[in-house]
Amino acid sequence: MSVSSNGDGNECSGCSNSNSRAAAANEVTSTTHRPPQSCNRCDTLHSSVFFDPDNKKAKQIREQVAMDVFEDLLRWLQAGGQIAIHDATNSTIERRNALINRLKTEADVNLLFVESICTDKDIINRNIKLKTQSPDYIGIDPEVAEADFRARLRNYERAYRTIGSAEEKFEVQYCKIIDVGKKVIAYNIQGFLESQVVFYLMNMNLEPRVIYITRHGESEDNLTGHIGGDTSLAPNGTRYAAALARFIDRRRLEFASEVEEQNQRLAHFMMGNGSSGNNSELESAASQESNASNSTRYPPESPAMQRHVQPDFEIWTSMLKRTMETAEHFDPERYRIKNIRSLNEIYAGKFEGMTYEEIARNYPEEYEARQLDKFFYRYPGIGGESYADVVLRLQQVIVELERIRHSVLIVTHRAMARTLLSYFMDIPTTHMPEMDLPLEYVYACEPRPFGNFLRVWKYNKHIDDFEEVDSASVLKIRYPKALLPDQATATLLPSPAETAYSSKH
């Protein structure tokens, strides 16, 4: 078992003291300082006074809340969990020592501190802008939220101490991420899980990009209902392939315009807030607050933005004919096309080339076993796979998708599409085999600071083009309005606990 503890206050999934902290903040701010504005839709009061290191009562509550949440985390690990994230601003030596001492009685739990440091002025200012749109400031006027957050940063900066020799004497593990991955420092990393966490952090990025996922066009085997195999596209599949190429050509231009528009809004914010980033205290403080939540958006005239106007774009297919034929209409001068064996369809072993009706009739026990547990059921015969095997097969593909800094279209198969969408949308793996992903849909996942943003298009053969459909209805996902990136767009992806898909299944 392993616990990763943030040293900087990043908003992460895992055990969080956000709700407990908010309740505690109500008590403290009501007696010490009236905040500028409260949330109209909740009881949370957002005041920087709660984070003042000289506020003894607030400090006592913060420490107690952090340790209470840590106990919840340990109970979850003891119940069978493998990796837990302690989402708290563990930015003082005192707090980190308390966590280290608590784990002395937990022999089978390893500790890994993760600290994110940033010195880039533009990223710091963008982070402040993003933070005013975070759940911490729901219902708060943006100017009020910004002023309060800047005051909070100054309080953080007064108390902050970087991870170093004080922790090294305890032989703890830690990883420092500097300037959103430009430099990574790893200390005393031991064990498989810890090394995988560091490897993942070294490869992730938040460059503007879209990951498009689609199944191949209709194949000859799709017409007859046979699974597996390596047949070519049917006529409808060929038409879909041609329309797909036109659609992606158009979406490239549309996404470049969307990125530029976002950059202009951020540039306006940075110019209009009167902060040029010259205040070294503020820069240092901001560097400790949720740099993992930064979205790397560029001013519209910068060289980095120019690269995104005409970005690199890759097409990934499996090694099977039906996916490679689906990608044949893309201009190789404008797209880099890669054929990847890991994207091949789940292998059905001795059932390859059969229909599900034939399997049910000739192998009723196998058919029933698969219906009872599709995720772990492995097809019989040499090379037969389960969905669990597919997850392992796609691990390196997923790491590469986190690493790349440009958009990609993945033309693959149903089991692969289910696995990839489950990863990006936090759908539990046990529900993954039941996802209904028909042919002729394109799923577009855009990584954003507070979750992945999903859009879905369906091919309409009557107009030979794609039409956008409601992503929430397609995948049974319920989007909380509180996480709107702005008032004019659709909502961000929720956590697993907030998906209608999970509750229904």
Side-chain angles (χ1 to χ4, degrees):
M1 295 183 287
S2 178
V3 53
S4 177
S5 184
N6 293 328
D8 56 7
N10 292 341
E11 297 296 334
C12 303
S13 58
C15 290
S16 171
N17 53 354
S18 300
N19 295 333
S20 301
R21 185 189 71 196
N26 284 338
E27 175 186 349
V28 174
T29 54
S30 63
T31 57
T32 60
H33 179 268
R34 182 175 179 81
Q37 183 175 345
S38 64
C39 174
N40 295 327
R41 288 170 288 180
C42 62
D43 296 327
T44 304
L45 299 179
H46 302 274
S47 173
S48 59
V49 171
F50 183 69
F51 302 93
D52 186 341
D54 295 329
N55 188 332
K56 294 183 180 179
K57 185 175 182 180
K59 180 180 179 180
Q60 180 182 7
I61 293 175
R62 291 198 311 271
E63 297 302 318
Q64 184 61 50
V65 168
M67 296 310 295
D68 287 347
V69 171
F70 199 64
E71 292 299 327
D72 288 342
L73 176 151
L74 290 176
R75 283 192 289 272
W76 181 82
L77 287 173
Q78 292 160 356
Q82 289 188 316
I83 300 179
I85 301 175
H86 187 231
D87 177 15
T89 310
N90 300 314
S91 56
T92 65
I93 295 175
E94 177 185 17
R95 169 76 66 77
R96 295 192 292 268
N97 282 347
L99 301 179
I100 293 170
N101 289 331
R102 173 62 184 87
L103 287 181
K104 288 181 178 179
T105 59
E106 304 291 337
D108 59 341
V109 178
N110 298 323
L111 177 64
L112 169 64
F113 284 111
V114 178
E115 179 176 4
S116 181
I117 300 173
C118 184
T119 59
D120 187 301
K121 298 176 182 178
D122 288 339
I123 294 178
I124 292 171
N125 278 322
R126 283 193 293 272
N127 185 48
I128 294 173
K129 169 64 175 176
L130 290 168
K131 198 65 177 179
T132 63
Q133 300 173 346
S134 74
D136 278 2
Y137 292 104
I138 298 172
I140 304 294
D141 180 86
E143 292 185 2
V144 175
E146 181 194 344
D148 183 76
F149 185 63
R150 289 182 182 276
R152 184 197 298 190
L153 293 180
R154 287 190 287 270
N155 286 331
Y156 279 152
E157 203 265 351
R158 290 168 56 198
Y160 164 73
R161 295 294 182 273
T162 189
I163 298 174
S165 58
E167 289 75 29
E168 290 174 5
K169 67 182 181 182
F170 294 106
E171 293 296 317
V172 299
Q173 307 172 86
Y174 68 75
C175 175
K176 293 187 180 184
I177 307 169
I178 301 171
D179 286 338
V180 198
K182 289 184 177 179
K183 182 178 181 180
V184 177
I185 299 173
Y187 176 82
N188 195 35
I189 302 300
Q190 302 177 14
F192 174 77
L193 289 177
E194 292 88 337
S195 63
Q196 290 296 298
V197 169
V198 173
F199 178 69
Y200 175 82
L201 293 173
M202 291 175 65
N203 283 280
M204 68 177 295
N205 75 89
L206 287 168
E207 289 277 350
R209 67 197 193 279
V210 182
I211 299 166
Y212 298 94
I213 301 171
T214 187
R215 292 177 63 187
H216 53 80
E218 186 178 55
S219 70
E220 295 170 357
D221 273 346
N222 290 136
L223 293 175
T224 60
H226 292 87
I227 64 174
D230 191 18
T231 58
S232 294
L233 293 180
N236 284 341
T238 302
R239 283 192 290 271
Y240 175 79
L244 179 65
R246 296 193 300 270
F247 169 73
I248 294 298
D249 282 344
R250 184 171 70 247
R251 277 299 302 154
R252 286 184 72 177
L253 297 177
E254 292 172 351
F255 182 67
S257 297
E258 292 165 8
V259 170
E260 183 174 0
E261 182 180 347
Q262 293 171 23
N263 290 338
Q264 290 173 346
R265 289 201 298 266
L266 287 170
H268 176 74
F269 169 83
M270 288 187 282
M271 291 185 293
N273 63 20
S275 172
S276 62
N278 292 327
N279 186 327
S280 60
E281 277 194 3
L282 182 59
E283 293 166 15
S284 178
S287 70
Q288 312 313 323
E289 176 67 21
S290 27
N291 288 313
S293 298
N294 290 327
S295 176
T296 311
R297 311 293 191 190
Y298 302 95
E301 299 302 323
S302 72
M305 180 58 219
Q306 295 300 320
R307 289 200 302 271
H308 285 285
V309 172
Q310 291 294 333
D312 291 332
F313 199 114
E314 295 186 7
I315 310 292
W316 296 0
T317 80
S318 73
M319 297 289 287
L320 300 176
K321 287 189 292 185
R322 52 192 183 274
T323 63
M324 292 189 287
E325 290 175 1
T326 304
E328 284 182 350
H329 293 269
F330 287 92
D331 183 355
E333 297 295 324
R334 301 188 63 231
Y335 297 92
R336 288 185 287 176
I337 302 175
K338 298 181 179 179
N339 310 125
I340 302 172
R341 189 174 300 277
S342 295
L343 293 173
N344 282 7
E345 179 61 296
I346 185 172
Y347 190 67
K350 71 177 184 180
F351 294 161
E352 281 279 307
M354 297 179 66
T355 66
Y356 286 118
E357 291 76 11
E358 290 172 340
I359 296 172
R361 183 172 61 252
N362 298 325
Y363 302 92
E365 293 183 359
E366 292 287 345
Y367 183 83
E368 180 65 20
R370 183 174 183 274
Q371 297 305 307
L372 292 174
D373 189 358
K374 285 187 179 180
F375 184 76
F376 287 106
Y377 172 82
R378 179 176 288 118
Y379 282 106
I382 298 175
E385 291 183 301
S386 66
Y387 272 92
D389 297 325
V390 168
V391 170
L392 293 175
R393 170 146 66 91
L394 286 178
Q395 280 186 346
Q396 294 307 310
V397 171
I398 289 172
V399 169
E400 181 66 9
L401 288 173
E402 294 286 1
R403 186 194 67 80
I404 58 175
R405 296 175 178 269
H406 48 262
S407 297
V408 59
L409 167 67
I410 302 174
V411 183
T412 186
H413 309 268
R414 181 164 55 186
M416 304 301 112
R418 283 171 169 168
T419 305
L420 293 171
L421 282 170
S422 294
Y423 171 78
F424 286 109
M425 301 185 61
D426 288 335
I427 294 174
T429 55
T430 51
H431 299 329
M432 180 178 72
E434 305 300 333
M435 292 174 63
D436 182 23
L437 299 182
L439 297 170
E440 301 183 347
Y441 278 79
V442 174
Y443 305 87
C445 300
E446 182 187 348
R448 290 189 179 180
F450 300 109
N452 291 329
F453 180 75
L454 178 71
R455 297 176 71 179
V456 182
W457 284 267
K458 182 182 187 301
Y459 175 64
N460 185 336
K461 64 181 179 180
H462 300 294
I463 62 174
D464 194 26
D465 203 352
F466 287 79
E467 297 176 320
E468 187 165 7
V469 296
D470 179 21
S471 58
S473 63
V474 170
L475 290 179
K476 308 297 189 298
I477 302 297
R478 177 175 60 83
Y479 296 90
K481 293 182 179 179
L483 294 181
L484 250 76
D486 58 61
Q487 296 302 312
T489 61
T491 55
L492 291 173
L493 199 66
S495 68
E498 296 171 321
T499 61
Y501 186 95
S502 298
S503 60
K504 182 177 180 180
H505 290 74

